[in-house]
PDB file of all heavy atoms in Angstrom:
ATOM      1  N   ILE G 245       0.844  -1.205   0.004  1.00 94.00           N
ATOM      2  CA  ILE G 245      -0.004  -0.005   0.027  1.00 94.00           C
ATOM      3  C   ILE G 245       0.878   1.227  -0.013  1.00 94.00           C
ATOM      4  O   ILE G 245       0.570   2.212  -0.684  1.00 94.00           O
ATOM      5  CB  ILE G 245      -0.966  -0.032   1.224  1.00 94.00           C
ATOM      6  CG1 ILE G 245      -1.869  -1.243   1.155  1.00 94.00           C
ATOM      7  CG2 ILE G 245      -1.768   1.277   1.306  1.00 94.00           C
ATOM      8  CD1 ILE G 245      -2.624  -1.516   2.445  1.00 94.00           C
ATOM      9  N   VAL G 246       1.955   1.250   0.770  1.00 95.00           N
ATOM     10  CA  VAL G 246       2.932   2.358   0.826  1.00 95.00           C
ATOM     11  C   VAL G 246       4.298   1.783   0.877  1.00 95.00           C
ATOM     12  O   VAL G 246       4.533   0.566   1.040  1.00 95.00           O
ATOM     13  CB  VAL G 246       2.707   3.267   2.049  1.00 95.00           C
ATOM     14  CG1 VAL G 246       1.245   3.760   2.162  1.00 95.00           C
ATOM     15  CG2 VAL G 246       3.076   2.529   3.338  1.00 95.00           C
ATOM     16  N   SER G 247       5.309   2.656   0.715  1.00 95.00           N
ATOM     17  CA  SER G 247       6.733   2.299   1.065  1.00 95.00           C
ATOM     18  C   SER G 247       7.152   3.315   2.075  1.00 95.00           C
ATOM     19  O   SER G 247       6.603   4.444   2.195  1.00 95.00           O
ATOM     20  CB  SER G 247       7.569   2.319  -0.174  1.00 95.00           C
ATOM     21  OG  SER G 247       7.556   3.603  -0.845  1.00 95.00           O
ATOM     22  N   GLN G 248       8.203   2.990   2.803  1.00 95.00           N
ATOM     23  CA  GLN G 248       8.705   3.878   3.871  1.00 95.00           C
ATOM     24  C   GLN G 248      10.226   4.195   3.572  1.00 95.00           C
ATOM     25  O   GLN G 248      10.902   3.344   3.055  1.00 95.00           O
ATOM     26  CB  GLN G 248       8.639   3.210   5.263  1.00 95.00           C
ATOM     27  CG  GLN G 248       7.278   2.984   5.765  1.00 95.00           C
ATOM     28  CD  GLN G 248       7.326   2.441   7.213  1.00 95.00           C
ATOM     29  OE1 GLN G 248       7.403   3.165   8.157  1.00 95.00           O
ATOM     30  NE2 GLN G 248       7.302   1.122   7.323  1.00 95.00           N
ATOM     31  N   CYS G 249      10.642   5.380   3.978  1.00 95.00           N
ATOM     32  CA  CYS G 249      12.040   5.687   3.928  1.00 95.00           C
ATOM     33  C   CYS G 249      12.342   6.877   4.829  1.00 95.00           C
ATOM     34  O   CYS G 249      11.449   7.654   5.134  1.00 95.00           O
ATOM     35  CB  CYS G 249      12.508   5.911   2.482  1.00 95.00           C
ATOM     36  SG  CYS G 249      12.132   7.494   1.784  1.00 95.00           S
ATOM     37  N   ALA G 250      13.626   7.034   5.142  1.00 94.00           N
ATOM     38  CA  ALA G 250      14.101   8.243   5.814  1.00 94.00           C
ATOM     39  C   ALA G 250      14.569   9.215   4.769  1.00 94.00           C
ATOM     40  O   ALA G 250      14.716   8.905   3.595  1.00 94.00           O
ATOM     41  CB  ALA G 250      15.266   7.859   6.735  1.00 94.00           C
ATOM     42  N   LEU G 251      14.872  10.442   5.222  1.00 94.00           N
ATOM     43  CA  LEU G 251      15.222  11.518   4.293  1.00 94.00           C
ATOM     44  C   LEU G 251      16.492  11.178   3.457  1.00 94.00           C
ATOM     45  O   LEU G 251      16.527  11.542   2.237  1.00 94.00           O
ATOM     46  CB  LEU G 251      15.419  12.820   5.052  1.00 94.00           C
ATOM     47  CG  LEU G 251      15.381  14.122   4.260  1.00 94.00           C
ATOM     48  CD1 LEU G 251      14.146  14.242   3.407  1.00 94.00           C
ATOM     49  CD2 LEU G 251      15.465  15.296   5.232  1.00 94.00           C
ATOM     50  N   ASP G 252      17.448  10.510   4.063  1.00 93.00           N
ATOM     51  CA  ASP G 252      18.698  10.244   3.320  1.00 93.00           C
ATOM     52  C   ASP G 252      18.508   9.196   2.218  1.00 93.00           C
ATOM     53  O   ASP G 252      19.365   9.080   1.344  1.00 93.00           O
ATOM     54  CB  ASP G 252      19.798   9.817   4.292  1.00 93.00           C
ATOM     55  CG  ASP G 252      19.430   8.593   5.107  1.00 93.00           C
ATOM     56  OD1 ASP G 252      18.304   8.031   4.897  1.00 93.00           O
ATOM     57  OD2 ASP G 252      20.189   8.185   6.006  1.00 93.00           O
ATOM     58  N   ALA G 253      17.382   8.499   2.231  1.00 95.00           N
ATOM     59  CA  ALA G 253      17.123   7.502   1.167  1.00 95.00           C
ATOM     60  C   ALA G 253      16.006   7.966   0.214  1.00 95.00           C
ATOM     61  O   ALA G 253      15.624   7.217  -0.653  1.00 95.00           O
ATOM     62  CB  ALA G 253      16.723   6.176   1.784  1.00 95.00           C
ATOM     63  N   LEU G 254      15.542   9.220   0.339  1.00 96.00           N
ATOM     64  CA  LEU G 254      14.360   9.616  -0.401  1.00 96.00           C
ATOM     65  C   LEU G 254      14.659   9.724  -1.916  1.00 96.00           C
ATOM     66  O   LEU G 254      13.830   9.302  -2.733  1.00 96.00           O
ATOM     67  CB  LEU G 254      13.920  11.011   0.094  1.00 96.00           C
ATOM     68  CG  LEU G 254      12.675  11.567  -0.602  1.00 96.00           C
ATOM     69  CD1 LEU G 254      11.485  10.650  -0.498  1.00 96.00           C
ATOM     70  CD2 LEU G 254      12.314  12.966   0.005  1.00 96.00           C
ATOM     71  N   SER G 255      15.825  10.236  -2.284  1.00 94.00           N
ATOM     72  CA  SER G 255      16.120  10.373  -3.718  1.00 94.00           C
ATOM     73  C   SER G 255      16.068   9.050  -4.427  1.00 94.00           C
ATOM     74  O   SER G 255      15.438   8.928  -5.518  1.00 94.00           O
ATOM     75  CB  SER G 255      17.555  10.978  -3.884  1.00 94.00           C
ATOM     76  OG  SER G 255      17.577  12.287  -3.457  1.00 94.00           O
ATOM     77  N   GLN G 256      16.678   8.031  -3.820  1.00 94.00           N
ATOM     78  CA  GLN G 256      16.666   6.688  -4.423  1.00 94.00           C
ATOM     79  C   GLN G 256      15.262   6.141  -4.486  1.00 94.00           C
ATOM     80  O   GLN G 256      14.846   5.517  -5.449  1.00 94.00           O
ATOM     81  CB  GLN G 256      17.580   5.751  -3.660  1.00 94.00           C
ATOM     82  CG  GLN G 256      17.636   4.349  -4.222  1.00 94.00           C
ATOM     83  CD  GLN G 256      18.527   3.422  -3.394  1.00 94.00           C
ATOM     84  OE1 GLN G 256      19.288   3.873  -2.538  1.00 94.00           O
ATOM     85  NE2 GLN G 256      18.436   2.110  -3.627  1.00 94.00           N
ATOM     86  N   GLN G 257      14.488   6.372  -3.428  1.00 94.00           N
ATOM     87  CA  GLN G 257      13.128   5.848  -3.350  1.00 94.00           C
ATOM     88  C   GLN G 257      12.234   6.489  -4.439  1.00 94.00           C
ATOM     89  O   GLN G 257      11.435   5.842  -5.076  1.00 94.00           O
ATOM     90  CB  GLN G 257      12.527   6.141  -1.964  1.00 94.00           C
ATOM     91  CG  GLN G 257      11.283   5.333  -1.644  1.00 94.00           C
ATOM     92  CD  GLN G 257      11.627   3.931  -1.169  1.00 94.00           C
ATOM     93  OE1 GLN G 257      12.754   3.617  -0.946  1.00 94.00           O
ATOM     94  NE2 GLN G 257      10.588   3.092  -0.976  1.00 94.00           N
ATOM     95  N   ILE G 258      12.479   7.794  -4.688  1.00 95.00           N
ATOM     96  CA  ILE G 258      11.700   8.476  -5.753  1.00 95.00           C
ATOM     97  C   ILE G 258      12.066   7.889  -7.112  1.00 95.00           C
ATOM     98  O   ILE G 258      11.165   7.644  -7.938  1.00 95.00           O
ATOM     99  CB  ILE G 258      11.957   9.977  -5.686  1.00 95.00           C
ATOM    100  CG1 ILE G 258      11.303  10.575  -4.435  1.00 95.00           C
ATOM    101  CG2 ILE G 258      11.380  10.674  -6.951  1.00 95.00           C
ATOM    102  CD1 ILE G 258      11.675  12.060  -4.206  1.00 95.00           C
ATOM    103  N   ASP G 259      13.361   7.729  -7.364  1.00 93.00           N
ATOM    104  CA  ASP G 259      13.813   7.147  -8.622  1.00 93.00           C
ATOM    105  C   ASP G 259      13.157   5.775  -8.870  1.00 93.00           C
ATOM    106  O   ASP G 259      12.675   5.488  -9.985  1.00 93.00           O
ATOM    107  CB  ASP G 259      15.331   7.008  -8.642  1.00 93.00           C
ATOM    108  CG  ASP G 259      16.019   8.361  -8.755  1.00 93.00           C
ATOM    109  OD1 ASP G 259      15.406   9.351  -9.160  1.00 93.00           O
ATOM    110  OD2 ASP G 259      17.200   8.446  -8.366  1.00 93.00           O
ATOM    111  N   GLU G 260      13.159   4.934  -7.851  1.00 91.00           N
ATOM    112  CA  GLU G 260      12.598   3.609  -7.981  1.00 91.00           C
ATOM    113  C   GLU G 260      11.081   3.680  -8.207  1.00 91.00           C
ATOM    114  O   GLU G 260      10.529   2.892  -9.070  1.00 91.00           O
ATOM    115  CB  GLU G 260      12.854   2.798  -6.731  1.00 91.00           C
ATOM    116  CG  GLU G 260      14.372   2.444  -6.549  1.00 91.00           C
ATOM    117  CD  GLU G 260      14.628   1.723  -5.244  1.00 91.00           C
ATOM    118  OE1 GLU G 260      13.665   1.542  -4.458  1.00 91.00           O
ATOM    119  OE2 GLU G 260      15.808   1.395  -5.026  1.00 91.00           O
ATOM    120  N   ALA G 261      10.399   4.581  -7.524  1.00 92.00           N
ATOM    121  CA  ALA G 261       8.932   4.671  -7.697  1.00 92.00           C
ATOM    122  C   ALA G 261       8.570   5.193  -9.091  1.00 92.00           C
ATOM    123  O   ALA G 261       7.644   4.646  -9.724  1.00 92.00           O
ATOM    124  CB  ALA G 261       8.377   5.645  -6.663  1.00 92.00           C
ATOM    125  N   LEU G 262       9.297   6.152  -9.598  1.00 89.00           N
ATOM    126  CA  LEU G 262       8.992   6.705 -10.933  1.00 89.00           C
ATOM    127  C   LEU G 262       9.404   5.748 -12.014  1.00 89.00           C
ATOM    128  O   LEU G 262       8.793   5.757 -13.137  1.00 89.00           O
ATOM    129  CB  LEU G 262       9.708   8.040 -11.112  1.00 89.00           C
ATOM    130  CG  LEU G 262       9.283   9.180 -10.207  1.00 89.00           C
ATOM    131  CD1 LEU G 262      10.113  10.431 -10.455  1.00 89.00           C
ATOM    132  CD2 LEU G 262       7.777   9.488 -10.460  1.00 89.00           C
ATOM    133  N   ALA G 263      10.393   4.922 -11.791  1.00 87.00           N
ATOM    134  CA  ALA G 263      10.838   3.949 -12.777  1.00 87.00           C
ATOM    135  C   ALA G 263      10.006   2.699 -12.818  1.00 87.00           C
ATOM    136  O   ALA G 263      10.079   1.884 -13.771  1.00 87.00           O
ATOM    137  CB  ALA G 263      12.351   3.587 -12.549  1.00 87.00           C
ATOM    138  N   SER G 264       9.230   2.452 -11.760  1.00 81.00           N
ATOM    139  CA  SER G 264       8.450   1.203 -11.645  1.00 81.00           C
ATOM    140  C   SER G 264       7.390   1.172 -12.765  1.00 81.00           C
ATOM    141  O   SER G 264       6.804   2.156 -13.127  1.00 81.00           O
ATOM    142  CB  SER G 264       7.752   1.149 -10.294  1.00 81.00           C
ATOM    143  OG  SER G 264       6.822   0.115 -10.246  1.00 81.00           O
ATOM    144  N   SER G 265       7.152  -0.057 -13.248  1.00 68.00           N
ATOM    145  CA  SER G 265       6.160  -0.234 -14.308  1.00 68.00           C
ATOM    146  C   SER G 265       4.737  -0.175 -13.714  1.00 68.00           C
ATOM    147  O   SER G 265       3.799  -0.029 -14.487  1.00 68.00           O
ATOM    148  CB  SER G 265       6.398  -1.608 -14.981  1.00 68.00           C
ATOM    149  OG  SER G 265       6.316  -2.649 -14.045  1.00 68.00           O
ATOM    150  N   HIS G 266       4.616  -0.314 -12.401  1.00 71.00           N
ATOM    151  CA  HIS G 266       3.277  -0.208 -11.794  1.00 71.00           C
ATOM    152  C   HIS G 266       2.890   1.221 -11.653  1.00 71.00           C
ATOM    153  O   HIS G 266       3.643   2.046 -11.092  1.00 71.00           O
ATOM    154  CB  HIS G 266       3.295  -0.900 -10.423  1.00 71.00           C
ATOM    155  CG  HIS G 266       3.604  -2.374 -10.509  1.00 71.00           C
ATOM    156  ND1 HIS G 266       2.701  -3.272 -10.990  1.00 71.00           N
ATOM    157  CD2 HIS G 266       4.683  -3.099 -10.222  1.00 71.00           C
ATOM    158  CE1 HIS G 266       3.213  -4.527 -10.943  1.00 71.00           C
ATOM    159  NE2 HIS G 266       4.448  -4.388 -10.468  1.00 71.00           N
ATOM    160  N   ASN G 267       1.753   1.569 -12.120  1.00 68.00           N
ATOM    161  CA  ASN G 267       1.324   2.993 -12.079  1.00 68.00           C
ATOM    162  C   ASN G 267       0.622   3.391 -10.815  1.00 68.00           C
ATOM    163  O   ASN G 267       0.360   4.539 -10.596  1.00 68.00           O
ATOM    164  CB  ASN G 267       0.355   3.249 -13.313  1.00 68.00           C
ATOM    165  CG  ASN G 267       1.035   3.122 -14.632  1.00 68.00           C
ATOM    166  OD1 ASN G 267       2.238   3.495 -14.753  1.00 68.00           O
ATOM    167  ND2 ASN G 267       0.374   2.610 -15.628  1.00 68.00           N
ATOM    168  N   SER G 268       0.291   2.401  -9.943  1.00 71.00           N
ATOM    169  CA  SER G 268      -0.460   2.719  -8.783  1.00 71.00           C
ATOM    170  C   SER G 268      -0.149   1.690  -7.692  1.00 71.00           C
ATOM    171  O   SER G 268       0.518   0.712  -7.906  1.00 71.00           O
ATOM    172  CB  SER G 268      -1.957   2.719  -9.072  1.00 71.00           C
ATOM    173  OG  SER G 268      -2.389   1.445  -9.546  1.00 71.00           O
ATOM    174  N   SER G 269      -0.629   1.979  -6.497  1.00 80.00           N
ATOM    175  CA  SER G 269      -0.548   1.074  -5.337  1.00 80.00           C
ATOM    176  C   SER G 269      -1.900   0.505  -5.010  1.00 80.00           C
ATOM    177  O   SER G 269      -2.933   1.013  -5.511  1.00 80.00           O
ATOM    178  CB  SER G 269       0.068   1.789  -4.161  1.00 80.00           C
ATOM    179  OG  SER G 269       1.388   2.241  -4.441  1.00 80.00           O
ATOM    180  N   ILE G 270      -1.929  -0.436  -4.131  1.00 88.00           N
ATOM    181  CA  ILE G 270      -3.202  -1.013  -3.656  1.00 88.00           C
ATOM    182  C   ILE G 270      -3.816  -0.028  -2.646  1.00 88.00           C
ATOM    183  O   ILE G 270      -3.232   0.256  -1.619  1.00 88.00           O
ATOM    184  CB  ILE G 270      -2.993  -2.372  -3.013  1.00 88.00           C
ATOM    185  CG1 ILE G 270      -2.377  -3.359  -4.016  1.00 88.00           C
ATOM    186  CG2 ILE G 270      -4.279  -2.938  -2.460  1.00 88.00           C
ATOM    187  CD1 ILE G 270      -1.947  -4.645  -3.394  1.00 88.00           C
ATOM    188  N   PRO G 271      -4.999   0.549  -2.953  1.00 93.00           N
ATOM    189  CA  PRO G 271      -5.582   1.539  -2.045  1.00 93.00           C
ATOM    190  C   PRO G 271      -6.211   0.902  -0.801  1.00 93.00           C
ATOM    191  O   PRO G 271      -6.702  -0.220  -0.850  1.00 93.00           O
ATOM    192  CB  PRO G 271      -6.635   2.213  -2.913  1.00 93.00           C
ATOM    193  CG  PRO G 271      -7.019   1.192  -3.902  1.00 93.00           C
ATOM    194  CD  PRO G 271      -5.803   0.355  -4.151  1.00 93.00           C
ATOM    195  N   LEU G 272      -6.177   1.657   0.269  1.00 94.00           N
ATOM    196  CA  LEU G 272      -6.945   1.227   1.469  1.00 94.00           C
ATOM    197  C   LEU G 272      -8.436   1.237   1.165  1.00 94.00           C
ATOM    198  O   LEU G 272      -8.917   2.022   0.352  1.00 94.00           O
ATOM    199  CB  LEU G 272      -6.684   2.198   2.625  1.00 94.00           C
ATOM    200  CG  LEU G 272      -5.317   2.157   3.322  1.00 94.00           C
ATOM    201  CD1 LEU G 272      -5.301   3.240   4.438  1.00 94.00           C
ATOM    202  CD2 LEU G 272      -5.066   0.808   3.885  1.00 94.00           C
ATOM    203  N   GLN G 273      -9.158   0.333   1.843  1.00 94.00           N
ATOM    204  CA  GLN G 273     -10.623   0.261   1.652  1.00 94.00           C
ATOM    205  C   GLN G 273     -11.318   0.479   2.984  1.00 94.00           C
ATOM    206  O   GLN G 273     -12.392  -0.075   3.243  1.00 94.00           O
ATOM    207  CB  GLN G 273     -10.992  -1.113   1.108  1.00 94.00           C
ATOM    208  CG  GLN G 273     -10.397  -1.415  -0.300  1.00 94.00           C
ATOM    209  CD  GLN G 273     -11.072  -0.575  -1.362  1.00 94.00           C
ATOM    210  OE1 GLN G 273     -12.278  -0.400  -1.379  1.00 94.00           O
ATOM    211  NE2 GLN G 273     -10.266  -0.105  -2.295  1.00 94.00           N
ATOM    212  N   ASP G 274     -10.738   1.337   3.841  1.00 96.00           N
ATOM    213  CA  ASP G 274     -11.236   1.553   5.156  1.00 96.00           C
ATOM    214  C   ASP G 274     -12.649   2.185   5.206  1.00 96.00           C
ATOM    215  O   ASP G 274     -13.547   1.773   5.998  1.00 96.00           O
ATOM    216  CB  ASP G 274     -10.324   2.385   5.998  1.00 96.00           C
ATOM    217  CG  ASP G 274      -8.966   1.679   6.333  1.00 96.00           C
ATOM    218  OD1 ASP G 274      -9.014   0.454   6.476  1.00 96.00           O
ATOM    219  OD2 ASP G 274      -7.968   2.376   6.449  1.00 96.00           O
ATOM    220  N   THR G 275     -12.863   3.128   4.343  1.00 96.00           N
ATOM    221  CA  THR G 275     -14.159   3.813   4.338  1.00 96.00           C
ATOM    222  C   THR G 275     -15.290   2.873   3.935  1.00 96.00           C
ATOM    223  O   THR G 275     -16.333   2.821   4.548  1.00 96.00           O
ATOM    224  CB  THR G 275     -14.150   5.029   3.351  1.00 96.00           C
ATOM    225  OG1 THR G 275     -13.017   5.838   3.675  1.00 96.00           O
ATOM    226  CG2 THR G 275     -15.405   5.833   3.479  1.00 96.00           C
ATOM    227  N   GLU G 276     -15.049   2.095   2.882  1.00 96.00           N
ATOM    228  CA  GLU G 276     -16.029   1.094   2.463  1.00 96.00           C
ATOM    229  C   GLU G 276     -16.327   0.063   3.564  1.00 96.00           C
ATOM    230  O   GLU G 276     -17.471  -0.311   3.745  1.00 96.00           O
ATOM    231  CB  GLU G 276     -15.530   0.354   1.204  1.00 96.00           C
ATOM    232  CG  GLU G 276     -15.480   1.204  -0.058  1.00 96.00           C
ATOM    233  CD  GLU G 276     -14.224   2.128  -0.123  1.00 96.00           C
ATOM    234  OE1 GLU G 276     -13.379   2.087   0.798  1.00 96.00           O
ATOM    235  OE2 GLU G 276     -14.110   2.855  -1.140  1.00 96.00           O
ATOM    236  N   LYS G 277     -15.287  -0.341   4.270  1.00 96.00           N
ATOM    237  CA  LYS G 277     -15.494  -1.305   5.369  1.00 96.00           C
ATOM    238  C   LYS G 277     -16.362  -0.692   6.468  1.00 96.00           C
ATOM    239  O   LYS G 277     -17.267  -1.355   7.039  1.00 96.00           O
ATOM    240  CB  LYS G 277     -14.157  -1.742   5.921  1.00 96.00           C
ATOM    241  CG  LYS G 277     -14.220  -2.936   6.874  1.00 96.00           C
ATOM    242  CD  LYS G 277     -12.844  -3.474   7.190  1.00 96.00           C
ATOM    243  CE  LYS G 277     -12.971  -4.747   8.049  1.00 96.00           C
ATOM    244  NZ  LYS G 277     -11.682  -5.312   8.348  1.00 96.00           N
ATOM    245  N   ALA G 278     -16.120   0.576   6.804  1.00 96.00           N
ATOM    246  CA  ALA G 278     -16.916   1.237   7.845  1.00 96.00           C
ATOM    247  C   ALA G 278     -18.377   1.377   7.421  1.00 96.00           C
ATOM    248  O   ALA G 278     -19.274   1.156   8.218  1.00 96.00           O
ATOM    249  CB  ALA G 278     -16.305   2.628   8.125  1.00 96.00           C
ATOM    250  N   VAL G 279     -18.596   1.679   6.163  1.00 96.00           N
ATOM    251  CA  VAL G 279     -19.952   1.819   5.650  1.00 96.00           C
ATOM    252  C   VAL G 279     -20.686   0.502   5.699  1.00 96.00           C
ATOM    253  O   VAL G 279     -21.849   0.448   6.125  1.00 96.00           O
ATOM    254  CB  VAL G 279     -19.932   2.357   4.173  1.00 96.00           C
ATOM    255  CG1 VAL G 279     -21.327   2.221   3.526  1.00 96.00           C
ATOM    256  CG2 VAL G 279     -19.487   3.807   4.207  1.00 96.00           C
ATOM    257  N   ASP G 280     -20.023  -0.574   5.339  1.00 96.00           N
ATOM    258  CA  ASP G 280     -20.644  -1.837   5.405  1.00 96.00           C
ATOM    259  C   ASP G 280     -21.030  -2.234   6.843  1.00 96.00           C
ATOM    260  O   ASP G 280     -22.090  -2.828   7.084  1.00 96.00           O
ATOM    261  CB  ASP G 280     -19.693  -2.963   4.834  1.00 96.00           C
ATOM    262  CG  ASP G 280     -19.494  -2.875   3.354  1.00 96.00           C
ATOM    263  OD1 ASP G 280     -20.345  -2.233   2.693  1.00 96.00           O
ATOM    264  OD2 ASP G 280     -18.523  -3.422   2.839  1.00 96.00           O
ATOM    265  N   ALA G 281     -20.199  -1.869   7.796  1.00 96.00           N
ATOM    266  CA  ALA G 281     -20.441  -2.161   9.223  1.00 96.00           C
ATOM    267  C   ALA G 281     -21.693  -1.376   9.680  1.00 96.00           C
ATOM    268  O   ALA G 281     -22.533  -1.911  10.427  1.00 96.00           O
ATOM    269  CB  ALA G 281     -19.253  -1.850  10.066  1.00 96.00           C
ATOM    270  N   ILE G 282     -21.799  -0.134   9.277  1.00 96.00           N
ATOM    271  CA  ILE G 282     -22.965   0.678   9.678  1.00 96.00           C
ATOM    272  C   ILE G 282     -24.252   0.142   9.053  1.00 96.00           C
ATOM    273  O   ILE G 282     -25.276   0.048   9.745  1.00 96.00           O
ATOM    274  CB  ILE G 282     -22.742   2.146   9.280  1.00 96.00           C
ATOM    275  CG1 ILE G 282     -21.581   2.752  10.131  1.00 96.00           C
ATOM    276  CG2 ILE G 282     -24.046   2.959   9.485  1.00 96.00           C
ATOM    277  CD1 ILE G 282     -21.209   4.155   9.684  1.00 96.00           C
ATOM    278  N   ARG G 283     -24.169  -0.230   7.778  1.00 94.00           N
ATOM    279  CA  ARG G 283     -25.395  -0.817   7.128  1.00 94.00           C
ATOM    280  C   ARG G 283     -25.805  -2.110   7.815  1.00 94.00           C
ATOM    281  O   ARG G 283     -26.992  -2.339   8.015  1.00 94.00           O
ATOM    282  CB  ARG G 283     -25.065  -1.036   5.640  1.00 94.00           C
ATOM    283  CG  ARG G 283     -25.057   0.236   4.835  1.00 94.00           C
ATOM    284  CD  ARG G 283     -24.643  -0.065   3.409  1.00 94.00           C
ATOM    285  NE  ARG G 283     -24.755   1.183   2.580  1.00 94.00           N
ATOM    286  CZ  ARG G 283     -24.076   1.372   1.501  1.00 94.00           C
ATOM    287  NH1 ARG G 283     -23.199   0.442   1.083  1.00 94.00           N
ATOM    288  NH2 ARG G 283     -24.178   2.471   0.811  1.00 94.00           N
ATOM    289  N   ALA G 284     -24.842  -2.919   8.195  1.00 95.00           N
ATOM    290  CA  ALA G 284     -25.158  -4.144   8.906  1.00 95.00           C
ATOM    291  C   ALA G 284     -25.778  -3.859  10.293  1.00 95.00           C
ATOM    292  O   ALA G 284     -26.716  -4.557  10.733  1.00 95.00           O
ATOM    293  CB  ALA G 284     -23.898  -4.996   9.056  1.00 95.00           C
ATOM    294  N   LEU G 285     -25.287  -2.796  10.934  1.00 94.00           N
ATOM    295  CA  LEU G 285     -25.824  -2.427  12.238  1.00 94.00           C
ATOM    296  C   LEU G 285     -27.280  -2.068  12.226  1.00 94.00           C
ATOM    297  O   LEU G 285     -28.035  -2.419  13.091  1.00 94.00           O
ATOM    298  CB  LEU G 285     -24.994  -1.205  12.809  1.00 94.00           C
ATOM    299  CG  LEU G 285     -25.418  -0.658  14.152  1.00 94.00           C
ATOM    300  CD1 LEU G 285     -25.117  -1.672  15.246  1.00 94.00           C
ATOM    301  CD2 LEU G 285     -24.679   0.662  14.436  1.00 94.00           C
TER     302      LEU G 285
END
């Protein structure tokens, strides 16, 4: 869903992210899960 880094590794992390063939990450679905729980309630 995310990657982590400290400031001294940020340049390399940006290069890797921009060079990656994947255009997106897996998004969180927290809001949808909360809505489902309220509807069930």
Side-chain angles (χ1 to χ4, degrees):
I245 299 168
V246 305
S247 58
Q248 295 185 85
C249 76
L251 196 52
D252 57 4
L254 181 58
S255 293
Q256 180 181 349
Q257 196 83 7
I258 291 173
D259 289 340
E260 292 175 358
L262 294 177
S264 171
S265 58
H266 297 287
N267 294 324
S268 61
S269 297
I270 299 171
L272 288 179
Q273 298 289 320
D274 291 329
T275 308
E276 291 79 359
K277 191 170 185 180
V279 167
D280 289 344
I282 293 174
R283 285 175 175 154
L285 178 69

